[in-house]
Amino acid sequence: APDLIGEITAVMFSAQDLNIVFGSPAFRRKYLNILISQIDARYLRELNTYQHVLHQRNQLLKSARIGHSSPSELDYWDSQLVATGQYILQRRMETVSKLITMCDPIHKSLTTEEKIMDLIYVPSVNRNTQDSTLKDTFRATIEGRRAQDIAAGFTTAGPHRDDLQIQLDGLDLNAYASRGQCRSIVLAMRLGEARYLSESRMQEPILLLDDVLSELDEMRRAKVLEYLRGYQQCFVTTSDLGAIESRFMADMSIFTIRDGHVAPSETVFRD
């Protein structure tokens, strides 16, 4: 239920998170939506409203395309789209601006690289003038694309079409990153998310890290585990305990999962 979002904050990393780099813009928008919704109840409400308005506008665009509706009927839905969409845009831009100040130093701490990690929010609305407000530029984009939207049968600009560009030393990771680099970058984003939540809510989130150590070399595994020592509650899964150096074991409670059952590691499973 929407009312429960943010009651208990948690940050999860899994292999599917590689889609944040390699996948479509929808994965990156989802990353931002989940993060912001955990600290801003209004954002979640505006996001739900925006989806409803977008659906209604798209239905009307399809109707106008075949001549069953007048383009002037779009005026109401355009104003609604701009009213709710501009808040979503503003909060996403603010969040990305703060997030990068946390992700870049974390990424450096997890690797030996001195490359600069950057996150750039890429809006689909035109930002041609510095003097115009975000709401004004959004409105101008929607109005300017009305004919294009009618021809397409859907809304071609707005938060639902935006992207988050992830760069390392100015190069887009989507185009050249290895899986190892990608894993380190996404982990830095998740840990940056955790720090952002801690500072925003004054409460440390629970970290849930699924198979986070695979595809990392020994040095990077050690750096990750060293960083995780700073968190009170962190669950890390692995299929290879040998990947964890003995010096980290003293800080851990180890559980074994077999055939759907969980037990402390000293428990012996009998076949």
Side-chain angles (χ1 to χ4, degrees):
D3 291 345
L4 297 179
I5 293 177
E7 287 299 311
I8 298 178
T9 56
V11 173
M12 180 174 179
F13 172 92
S14 70
Q16 285 71 37
D17 281 350
L18 299 187
N19 286 321
I20 295 175
V21 172
F22 293 130
S24 70
F27 288 98
R28 293 180 282 279
R29 291 193 296 268
K30 182 179 179 181
Y31 166 78
L32 290 175
N33 288 340
I34 292 175
L35 169 56
I36 302 171
S37 294
Q38 290 193 78
I39 58 175
D40 186 346
R42 179 186 169 185
Y43 180 87
L44 182 59
R45 292 194 300 272
E46 297 285 3
L47 195 62
N48 288 333
T49 300
Y50 183 86
Q51 292 298 335
H52 170 72
V53 171
L54 182 65
H55 175 75
Q56 296 297 325
R57 186 176 192 271
N58 285 345
Q59 292 298 108
L60 189 54
L61 287 169
K62 292 181 177 68
S63 180
R65 182 175 59 180
I66 59 177
H68 288 176
S69 300
S70 169
S72 63
E73 295 180 52
L74 289 164
D75 291 346
Y76 172 77
W77 294 112
D78 287 1
S79 65
Q80 293 298 304
L81 195 76
V82 170
T84 190
Q86 65 92 21
Y87 183 79
I88 296 170
L89 285 170
Q90 188 65 47
R91 290 295 288 119
R92 284 182 181 175
M93 290 177 178
E94 291 171 353
T95 299
V96 170
S97 178
K98 293 179 182 178
L99 198 58
I100 189 51
T101 64
M102 302 174 182
C103 292
D104 180 53
I106 291 174
H107 179 256
K108 286 184 172 68
S109 74
L110 298 181
T111 69
T112 56
E113 298 179 344
E114 287 301 315
K115 295 181 179 178
I116 298 173
M117 177 184 170
D118 203 4
L119 300 175
I120 302 171
Y121 191 76
V122 185
S124 55
V125 301
N126 299 328
R127 299 300 306 273
N128 296 326
T129 59
Q130 295 296 323
D131 295 333
S132 298
T133 66
L134 183 59
K135 189 172 184 178
D136 288 340
T137 55
F138 192 4
R139 182 185 297 109
T141 300
I142 293 298
E143 292 174 353
R145 293 197 185 192
R146 177 174 287 190
Q148 179 181 341
D149 286 358
I150 291 174
F154 60 87
T155 304
T156 59
H160 64 291
R161 304 282 291 184
D162 294 354
D163 199 358
L164 177 66
Q165 194 173 83
I166 307 169
Q167 294 184 347
L168 204 57
D169 269 0
L171 297 176
D172 188 353
L173 285 181
N174 184 274
Y176 84 93
S178 66
R179 285 182 63 86
Q181 280 181 314
C182 177
R183 185 174 284 265
S184 296
I185 285 287
V186 174
L187 180 56
M189 291 177 67
R190 286 301 190 193
L191 295 175
E193 174 185 349
R195 182 174 295 178
Y196 182 68
L197 288 170
S198 295
E199 293 186 5
S200 300
R201 295 177 57 88
M202 303 301 292
Q203 178 185 10
E204 192 175 277
I206 301 170
L207 294 185
L208 308 171
L209 308 177
D210 182 26
D211 200 24
V212 70
L213 302 177
S214 67
E215 299 186 39
L216 297 180
D217 57 32
E218 183 177 348
M219 180 275 294
R220 291 194 183 196
R221 288 198 300 267
K223 285 182 174 290
V224 168
L225 292 171
E226 192 67 50
Y227 185 89
L228 296 180
R229 277 177 161 172
Y231 280 85
Q232 295 177 354
Q233 294 189 78
C234 180
F235 294 84
V236 179
T237 68
T238 181
S239 58
D240 180 17
L241 272 180
I244 301 176
E245 293 182 45
S246 58
R247 62 190 174 101
F248 295 109
M249 293 293 191
D251 298 330
M252 298 179 176
S253 298
I254 301 173
F255 296 84
T256 302
I257 301 175
R258 182 173 176 183
D259 298 329
H261 298 284
V262 182
S265 59
E266 61 268 24
T267 300
V268 178
F269 283 95
R270 302 187 182 277
D271 293 327

